[in-house]
Amino acid sequence: MVRTEISLFLKNVPGELARLTALLAEAGINIDAITIQDASSYVQELFKARGKSLKRIASAASYNSMRKDSAEFALIRLLPADGKINAAIDLLARGDYVYDIMPVIALELENRPGTLAEVTAKFGEAGVNINYVYGSVSSPDGKCLFVFCPEDIELANQIFQ
């Protein structure tokens, strides 16, 4: 199922995530899924990718500046509950947050060994690359929610209809 994910940068200091989640909670917006990554790690991956491909995406000075600045921030990806994406976007815009939205595939999966392998094999068989994925389960008997960011959202959506 195609859903809309919100990506935003937060200052990497104590209390920032609490402020964001309290703001969403006060507006009645539940978070179905969330992942947090130190933005400096993200920039480090850009350095590695640049080195492997031997293609320079930006100048070395730009990368050094990004690395310095990004150490102060965390990259947050969150999936607001169904029907709450517009409210979440409005709230973030009013709060002067820097954010972006991205279509993703959110799937409820059976919590058993091999389910994730079966799903990711479908992506592979269709020739769809997965840029990133995150997920979790709340109990041994519960279903898992996994969020996939494929390169081709339209083709990925066709796989799971």
Side-chain angles (χ1 to χ4, degrees), residues 22-76:
L23 187 66
L24 293 167
E26 289 168 9
I29 300 169
N30 197 36
I31 299 170
D32 285 351
I34 188 169
T35 182
I36 302 170
Q37 176 182 352
D38 180 340
S40 62
S41 297
Y42 177 73
V43 174
Q44 291 292 336
E45 291 303 313
L46 287 177
F47 273 95
K48 290 178 189 172
R50 183 188 75 180
K52 286 180 186 173
S53 68
L54 301 178
K55 291 182 182 175
R56 181 163 275 165
I57 300 168
S59 70
S62 295
Y63 279 102
N64 288 332
S65 175
M66 283 176 18
R67 182 169 51 181
K68 180 182 170 212
D69 293 342
S70 66
E72 299 173 15
F73 292 91
L75 173 62
I76 312 293

Side-chain angles (χ1 to χ4, degrees), residues 109-119 137 140 142-144:
L109 306 177
E110 294 296 323
N111 185 16
R112 62 173 175 72
T115 303
L116 185 57
E118 293 166 7
V119 169
V137 63
K143 289 201 174 211
C144 307

Side-chain angles (χ1 to χ4, degrees), residues 3 5 13 47-48 54 97 121 125-126 128 143 149 152 155:
R3 302 260 308 263
E5 172 191 84
V13 296
F47 273 95
K48 290 178 189 172
L54 301 178
Y97 286 91
E125 290 162 4
V128 176
K143 289 201 174 211
C149 180
D152 186 336
L155 182 55

Side-chain angles (χ1 to χ4, degrees), residues 1-2 104-105 123 128 150 152-161:
M1 151 190 256
V2 176
V104 294
I105 301 290
F123 280 104
V128 176
D152 186 336
I153 191 73
E154 292 172 12
L155 182 55
N157 189 39
Q158 291 173 8
I159 297 168
F160 298 102
Q161 285 190 357

